[in-house]
Amino acid sequence: MSTKPIDDLGFERVASLESLAGCYENRAHVGKGVGLMFLSSIIWPDSKLPHGDITAVEVRSLMDDKVSVSAHTSNGVIKEQVFASGRDFTFESGQVRLTRPFGSAASESGNVFIGVGTQTKKLGIDSDGNGRAVSSASFAGTAFLVIPIAGGVSDVGRFTRNRALCVQHGQ
């Protein structure tokens, strides 16, 4: 299954992380029937940040292989972190790639799936300079120990680039 917003432009191929620098709306424009997608929850998936309160995410290039990312609310910056290529993400073909494997859910009470899967998030920009994210997951295993299953999902979000969102907070 795959969803994307109307007029999705795909990824623009960029040569460096510096091309991704900017200020982006935190809430994505998504396809019909997709729940909320927040840039902050893609960047900090395990944090307890109030993603719905974050208005913007700012990306600054520090070096060829490092970026500083900050989350802005109406009260200012609530989180800032430096990420390095090769340690926190992979940069290839103009996209930042974040991959997280997940294993069997058999240990969860009531879960009938036993298998493995991978979650991948790709971040970049489109030809208009707006942020673009593809969140995908693929899995293979069995249900009820005997029924083989495999599948995948992919959702695309567009994050409007708007420098004014970060400037208004004194950045």
Side-chain angles (χ1 to χ4, degrees):
M1 179 166 36
S2 179
T3 65
K4 57 185 166 182
I6 296 172
D7 299 328
D8 178 52
L9 300 174
F11 283 111
E12 178 76 7
R13 192 177 183 108
V14 296
S16 69
L17 288 172
E18 188 173 350
S19 301
L20 305 179
C23 187
Y24 301 90
E25 285 183 1
N26 188 42
R27 185 174 173 178
H29 301 273
V30 295
K32 187 175 182 179
V34 176
L36 297 176
M37 180 187 290
F38 296 107
L39 184 55
S40 60
S41 66
I42 293 171
I43 295 168
W44 296 289
D46 298 325
S47 76
K48 295 191 185 325
L49 287 172
H51 298 291
D53 294 341
I54 297 170
T55 55
V57 173
E58 185 173 17
V59 178
R60 288 181 281 129
S61 175
L62 299 179
M63 294 180 215
D64 289 344
D65 65 342
K66 290 185 181 174
V67 292
S68 173
V69 182
S70 54
H72 295 253
T73 67
S74 58
N75 295 322
V77 175
I78 63 166
K79 177 141 180 110
E80 187 167 7
Q81 187 173 350
V82 173
F83 296 95
S85 181
R87 181 187 72 200
D88 302 308
F89 64 89
T90 305
F91 183 71
E92 56 188 39
S93 302
Q95 300 165 25
V96 170
R97 180 187 199 87
L98 309 165
T99 303
R100 296 177 62 165
F102 59 89
S104 175
S107 61
E108 298 173 19
S109 177
N111 194 323
V112 299
F113 174 75
I114 298 174
V116 295
T118 302
Q119 293 178 321
T120 301
K121 313 282 185 178
K122 293 180 185 176
L123 299 168
I125 58 172
D126 63 21
S127 58
D128 284 347
N130 291 311
R132 183 174 192 267
V134 176
S135 178
S136 59
S138 58
F139 54 89
T142 61
F144 300 105
L145 297 175
V146 294
I147 303 168
I149 58 171
V153 295
S154 177
D155 294 315
V156 176
R158 180 176 50 247
F159 302 92
T160 303
R161 187 184 267 185
N162 182 349
R163 182 70 191 145
L165 289 171
C166 295
V167 173
Q168 71 188 14
H169 301 302
Q171 298 295 320

